Amino acid sequence: METIVFVDNDNKWTANYKRMLTPFLEEWDCVYFQHPEDAMEYMSSHPTKVLVCELDMPVMSGKELFEMVDMLSPATVKIGITQVRDVASSLEILNQIKIYKLILKPFFVAEDLVFPIREALRHYKENLWHEGTIKKAKKKLQELNQEMEELHKKVDSKKQGHDIILDAMRGILETNLSYPVADFEDEKKELVKEFCTELMQEFFQYYMYEKKNLIFYLSYLKNKFHHPGKNQVFGIRNKFSGKVPVTVMNRIAYVTFLVGYLCEQCLERYHIENMLEAEEDMYVLHIWFGWGTETYGAKVEPDVQKLLWRTIKELMRALSDRMAEKSENKIYALKLYFKREEE
C-alpha cells in the first residue's frame, strides 16, 4: 500500500479527510497527525510517498515541516492546504519551498482532495523512475570511465612498447645502412633516415593498430597515392572474391604500400598497378610500376634511389612467402606469393 501522511491541527478537518478517503482504505495507507513533531517521528521510520499538510499551524508551521521533510525524505511529494484568506502568504511559501500542489479550504467534494493525491502519487513514481534512470546512467558512466581508464593504460603501455621497438628498429636500420650511406652527404643521409622512419611508422599502423579488411586498405592506399592531377596513378584491382584473413591482409596491404611510398618519394610522376588474385593455396599480388627516371622525373639522385629500392625489396621478401621480379623497358613487374590461411 502507498503511505500518505496528513498533518492538520484542526480535528474537524482531520475527520473530513478520513470521511472523504474511506473508499480508498484498501488502496492507500492514510496516517493522520495533529502535531508536526509526531509526523516527523513517524516519517523517520516509515517511507512516505505523499505528505498533505496544513500550512498555518502553531508551534511548527507547514512551511517549517516541509523544509525538514526535504532533508528527512526528499522523495516525498508535498501538498499544502490553507485557508482562502491566507492565499498571499501561501503563494510566498510556494515560491520558497517545493510544494507540488496547493489545496484551498474550505472544500466539500472528495475529488478536491483525491485528485491532487493521485497526481502526487503519479509524480512520485515518475520521480522514482527518473532517479532510477539517472542512477543507472551514472553507474554506466562510471563503468565506461573505468573502461576508458583501462584502455588509456593499455594504449600508454602499447605506445611505450611502440616507441621502444621503433627506436630499436631505427638503430638496426641505421647500423645496416651505415656502410652504404657512409659516403653520402648529410642531406642524403637525412633523406634516407626519414624514408626508413616513415616505413617503420606505417609498419606499426598495419601490424599493431589496424585490423581492417581489404576494402579499408584499398581506400586508404588510393587516397594516399592516387593523384591523377599530378600524373600520379595508383590502381588496385581485386580478382579474389573471398575474405582475406587479417594476418595475411596486413602483409599484403603493407607490401602494396611499400611500392607506392617508394615511387612517391623518388619520382615526380608514376603509374602503379596492383592486382590481387588467388592461385591454389596462395594469394598472389601482381605489381607493375614505371621506374624510368627520364620518363617519370627523378626527385632523388640515382644512388639514393638504388639504396631505397633495395631496402623496399628486402622488406617485401621478408613479408611474402615468395617473390619474383622482372624488369623490361623501365617497367618493373613483381609477383608476390602469400600462403592462404583460414580466418
Side-chain angles (χ1 to χ4, degrees):
M1 296 180 69
E2 297 169 311
T3 301
I4 303 168
V5 170
F6 293 82
V7 183
D8 199 317
N9 63 311
D10 189 328
N11 289 330
K12 291 181 180 180
W13 272 104
T14 299
N16 285 336
Y17 303 151
K18 291 179 179 179
R19 175 180 55 79
M20 292 178 180
L21 298 175
T22 299
F24 303 94
L25 292 179
E26 294 183 0
E27 183 179 353
W28 298 338
D29 180 18
C30 299
V31 187
Y32 303 89
F33 296 96
Q34 187 176 2
H35 303 291
E37 298 87 350
D38 296 334
M40 284 290 297
E41 185 178 352
Y42 175 84
M43 293 177 65
S44 65
S45 57
H46 295 80
T48 303
K49 293 186 177 180
V50 180
L51 170 62
V52 183
C53 179
E54 166 65 51
L55 296 179
D56 185 18
M57 294 185 296
V59 185
M60 182 187 291
S61 68
K63 174 180 178 295
E64 293 171 323
L65 177 60
F66 284 150
E67 289 174 343
M68 295 186 70
V69 168
D70 271 339
M71 295 183 288
L72 178 68
S73 178
T76 299
V77 181
K78 298 173 284 293
I79 296 177
I81 297 181
T82 187
Q83 297 285 344
V84 174
R85 65 176 181 273
D86 297 325
V87 171
S89 59
S90 300
L91 289 175
E92 184 179 351
I93 293 172
L94 279 171
N95 292 328
Q96 296 174 356
I97 58 177
K98 297 176 182 178
I99 297 178
Y100 180 65
K101 295 285 185 181
L102 180 64
I103 302 175
L104 299 178
K105 291 180 178 178
F107 58 89
F108 308 100
V109 181
E111 284 73 12
D112 291 339
L113 181 62
V114 172
F115 182 75
I117 292 174
R118 285 199 182 280
E119 288 290 297
L121 289 169
R122 181 185 59 79
H123 186 65
Y124 177 89
K125 291 177 182 178
E126 288 179 353
N127 287 343
L128 203 63
W129 182 84
H130 285 301
E131 287 178 6
T133 303
I134 291 171
K135 285 181 181 178
K136 288 180 182 178
K138 286 182 177 178
K139 184 180 179 181
K140 185 65 177 177
L141 183 60
Q142 289 176 349
E143 292 173 354
L144 289 173
N145 286 335
Q146 187 174 354
E147 290 178 8
M148 284 297 294
E149 288 179 8
E150 292 174 358
L151 284 173
H152 281 307
K153 289 178 182 178
K154 289 181 181 178
V155 170
D156 290 340
S157 175
K158 202 167 190 179
K159 186 178 183 301
Q160 290 176 2
H162 167 277
D163 293 339
I164 292 171
I165 296 172
L166 186 62
D167 290 340
M169 288 181 66
R170 183 184 291 115
I172 291 170
L173 277 173
E174 288 177 353
T175 301
N176 290 336
L177 293 174
S178 60
Y179 176 72
V181 301
D183 297 330
F184 280 8
E185 300 172 356
D186 289 341
E187 184 176 350
K188 290 183 180 180
K189 289 180 180 179
E190 188 63 27
L191 188 151
V192 173
K193 182 178 179 181
E194 290 178 1
F195 182 88
C196 292
T197 299
E198 180 68 18
L199 290 181
M200 288 183 288
Q201 291 284 7
E202 287 287 332
F203 176 83
F204 279 102
Q205 287 295 326
Y206 286 98
Y207 280 85
M208 290 188 68
Y209 296 125
E210 296 291 355
K211 286 188 176 181
K212 304 291 185 179
N213 57 28
L214 179 61
I215 295 175
F216 170 84
Y217 284 125
L218 298 189
S219 176
Y220 173 74
L221 292 167
K222 288 278 283 188
N223 288 335
K224 193 171 184 68
F225 299 123
H226 187 62
H227 310 292
K230 299 179 182 179
N231 289 319
Q232 297 171 348
V233 178
F234 189 89
I236 305 178
R237 286 179 288 162
N238 178 27
K239 298 183 69 176
F240 175 68
S241 59
K243 182 179 179 182
V244 182
V246 171
T247 52
V248 181
M249 190 64 252
N250 54 16
R251 287 194 290 149
I252 293 175
Y254 186 63
V255 165
T256 309
F257 159 80
L258 289 175
V259 174
Y261 182 60
L262 174 71
C263 292
E264 180 189 59
Q265 296 299 309
C266 294
L267 304 175
E268 294 287 351
R269 301 177 301 281
Y270 55 78
H271 188 106
I272 307 168
E273 290 293 337
N274 303 274
M275 183 180 71
L276 178 65
E277 62 179 1
E279 291 181 6
E280 297 179 351
D281 62 340
M282 306 290 284
Y283 300 103
V284 183
L285 178 66
H286 302 266
I287 305 177
W288 300 271
F289 63 101
W291 195 248
T293 56
E294 296 86 357
T295 305
Y296 295 93
K299 293 170 68 174
V300 296
E301 295 182 21
D303 53 349
V304 177
Q305 280 193 39
K306 186 177 180 180
L307 176 60
L308 298 184
W309 173 222
R310 190 176 70 189
T311 302
I312 292 297
K313 283 200 292 185
E314 289 302 317
L315 283 171
M316 289 193 294
R317 282 197 178 94
L319 290 166
S320 61
D321 295 297
R322 190 167 81 250
M323 185 179 84
E325 60 177 306
K326 183 179 180 181
S327 176
E328 186 176 349
N329 296 326
K330 298 177 182 178
I331 297 293
Y332 265 92
L334 298 173
K335 198 173 184 180
L336 296 103
Y337 297 84
F338 304 84
K339 289 181 180 178
R340 294 182 65 169
E341 298 177 7
E342 296 299 329
E343 192 64 86

